[in-house]
Amino acid sequence: MATQEELLATAQRLGREKFLPRAAAYDREARFPTENYADLHEAGFLGLVIPERYGGLGVEYGRYMEISAELGRWCGATALTFNMHCATMLWSSQMADDLEMTPEQRENHEQRRTGIYKKVIEDGAIFAQPFSEPNSAAAAGKAPFGTTAKKVDGGWMVNGRKHFASLAGSANYYGVLCTEAKESGDADVRDTIYLAIDGTADGFKITGEWDVLGMRATTSNNLELTDVFVPDEHQLMPRGKYYEAALNWPHMFMSLCPTYMGIAQAAFDFTCQYLRGEIEGGPPAGSARHSPAKQLAVAEMRIKLEQARALFQRAASEAAMSPTKDERLRAYATQYTVMEFSNDICRLALRTCGGRAIFKTLRLEQLYRDSRCGSLMLPWTPEICMERLGRESLFEPGEK
């Protein structure tokens, strides 16, 4: 088993030598980083969090978060989309293992995930995780998903629509959250079904344009699903288990954080290198780094970076089934802090580096645009995190 230091070194090497030189073109063209994924596959990273007994590298959640942040330091879009793939593998392995299941459920899940992991390890399959829908209440956990799955012989029939579906057109499979369509009764969040939909299936369609402010290379178009058949072996979690995981394994929704932690680090690194005259295309070293105003700005950036990193590392280390109240609230605080501080550090970087830094020939303006997108991402937007932090600090479960 590779050590954490070795895996981090691989992530840094791929980022510095491969991902960073390609990042501007991917962003400019809003093109998926296909070549980066080929590099990840070659390095064995598609199986990064798949347990070793299935041929993966066996990295658990906390270690994954650190590696993901390193990838985000070099290419935000690659790290963010790669998280969708890794989260699919984590939800069906580490998190599913922590859930209570009947012997039959456990046996069926084991058979199904063995086949899923084989597709990744042997075939290099990439999994997306489209979450959002036109009604954002579902992704926020406040309503059932509008996409439905009806049980039929041998599998499920899926209908619905997803938007902001990262990896659209580039993933082999799409881990789609649906509400089970039953003959009677209202739709219920407890009836959420998690299915892997083949991107070549009949009735699967990618629609819409993707020309946006930041994270342009994520290619997050819309998905339209019309009578899409999904075989039973593509069920990623047993019935009802996604709902249990969402309640009892809340850190599962914090895995977007590392990308923005990496962006914050990249913006700080850029600023220091820029003021030292070490950025190609930037000004030579001069009086700027001797300026007390510049030094104070860099100090402020460093303080915010250290605050965000300290929360991030602690929350990642606490991720587990049934965390304490303080651990759960700290996860919300981490999500809020990392997403907001990432953009604030980029803002300070632009102001500190000055006018030349807004040119697209330099990296900083892309970091700024990408960082701004963090606060928009469900299910834990800053507003949702603040709302939960306030309410859950004042009320115990069941209190009104």
Side-chain angles (χ1 to χ4, degrees):
M1 180 179 180
T3 67
Q4 183 71 350
E5 290 72 23
E6 290 169 337
L7 293 172
L8 282 169
T10 298
Q12 184 180 89
R13 176 181 57 79
L14 289 176
R16 189 188 303 276
E17 297 177 6
K18 304 287 188 177
F19 299 174
L20 181 58
R22 299 168 181 155
Y26 290 144
D27 174 74
R28 183 172 58 251
E29 300 165 16
R31 179 166 58 89
F32 187 76
T34 302
E35 296 84 354
N36 290 357
Y37 271 77
D39 293 330
L40 289 167
H41 184 202
E42 184 178 355
F45 270 36
L46 292 186
L48 184 65
V49 299
I50 292 176
E52 289 181 284
R53 64 183 180 274
Y54 304 100
L57 295 178
V59 170
E60 48 76 34
Y61 178 94
R63 294 174 61 206
Y64 162 70
M65 296 286 274
E66 187 179 13
I67 294 166
S68 181
E70 182 61 32
L71 295 174
R73 185 179 166 199
W74 306 101
C75 180
T78 296
L80 194 64
T81 53
F82 185 57
N83 175 69
M84 314 299 178
H85 172 85
C86 288
T88 303
M89 303 301 119
L90 279 169
W91 289 12
S92 59
S93 60
Q94 180 181 348
M95 296 170 194
D97 286 345
D98 286 346
L99 300 173
E100 290 186 6
M101 297 186 193
T102 66
E104 182 181 5
Q105 286 177 322
R106 187 72 67 188
E107 181 181 357
N108 289 338
H109 181 61
E110 182 63 28
Q111 291 176 353
R112 290 165 181 164
R113 71 179 178 184
T114 298
I116 292 294
Y117 299 156
K118 185 177 180 180
K119 294 177 187 295
V120 175
I121 300 299
E122 297 186 6
D123 303 334
I126 298 169
F127 281 71
Q129 197 180 59
F131 201 81
S132 296
E133 295 186 344
N135 177 9
S136 61
K142 297 179 179 180
F145 285 97
T147 302
T148 61
K150 183 177 181 180
K151 192 70 184 77
V152 296
D153 288 344
W156 301 84
M157 193 66 71
V158 176
N159 286 274
R161 190 167 185 259
K162 298 288 184 179
H163 65 180
F164 295 106
S166 297
L167 297 92
S170 296
N172 303 101
Y173 298 90
Y174 298 77
V176 173
L177 292 165
C178 319
T179 301
E180 182 175 358
K182 297 183 176 180
E183 295 299 328
S184 61
D186 295 332
D188 193 312
V189 293
R190 295 174 178 82
D191 295 325
T192 302
I193 301 292
Y194 189 29
L195 302 172
I197 295 180
D198 191 325
T200 64
D202 291 340
F204 178 94
K205 186 178 180 182
I206 298 169
T207 63
E209 299 295 324
W210 182 249
D211 188 8
V212 292
L213 171 75
M215 289 296 175
R216 293 170 53 78
T218 62
T219 58
S220 302
N221 300 70
N222 304 323
L223 302 183
E224 293 184 6
L225 310 168
T226 307
D227 289 338
V228 177
F229 176 74
V230 182
D232 282 328
E233 56 265 30
H234 285 186
Q235 187 173 333
L236 290 166
M237 297 179 90
R239 273 175 161 151
K241 295 304 169 182
Y242 166 80
Y243 175 76
E244 292 179 21
L247 284 181
N248 300 305
W249 233 107
H251 293 76
M252 66 191 287
F253 298 126
M254 209 185 82
S255 65
L256 298 171
C257 267
T259 294
Y260 294 91
M261 195 70 244
I263 289 173
Q265 182 68 60
F268 179 80
D269 292 344
F270 178 95
T271 303
C272 293
Q273 293 164 2
Y274 187 90
L275 295 177
R276 289 173 56 84
E278 297 169 352
I279 295 292
E280 184 178 352
S287 61
R289 66 174 169 160
H290 297 282
S291 163
K294 303 289 187 186
Q295 292 172 5
L296 285 171
V298 170
E300 183 179 356
M301 292 170 65
R302 183 62 180 256
I303 290 168
K304 288 179 179 290
L305 184 65
E306 295 292 352
Q307 289 171 331
R309 183 188 290 117
L311 262 179
F312 172 76
Q313 291 175 339
R314 180 165 181 184
S317 73
E318 294 172 340
M321 183 77 169
S322 302
T324 66
K325 177 179 177 178
D326 281 344
E327 289 168 344
R328 186 176 68 253
L329 296 188
R330 192 154 35 246
Y332 299 150
T334 298
Q335 179 88 358
Y336 176 90
T337 300
V338 171
M339 296 309 197
E340 293 294 281
F341 278 24
S342 179
N343 183 246
D344 206 35
I345 289 168
C346 288
R347 175 189 65 82
L348 287 166
L350 277 173
R351 191 182 74 184
T352 304
C353 291
R356 292 192 194 184
I358 68 172
F359 280 82
K360 289 184 177 292
T361 52
L362 298 179
R363 188 186 182 202
L364 187 54
E365 65 86 28
Q366 182 187 342
L367 292 173
Y368 178 82
R369 288 185 289 104
D370 285 350
S371 73
R372 185 65 278 172
C373 297
S375 62
L376 308 176
M377 303 196 71
L378 291 164
W380 284 7
T381 64
E383 290 84 1
I384 289 173
C385 289
M386 292 281 279
E387 181 182 295
R388 292 183 180 181
L389 276 165
R391 178 169 180 80
E392 293 181 32
S393 294
L394 296 172
F395 292 84
E396 294 299 325
E399 289 187 341
K400 296 182 180 180

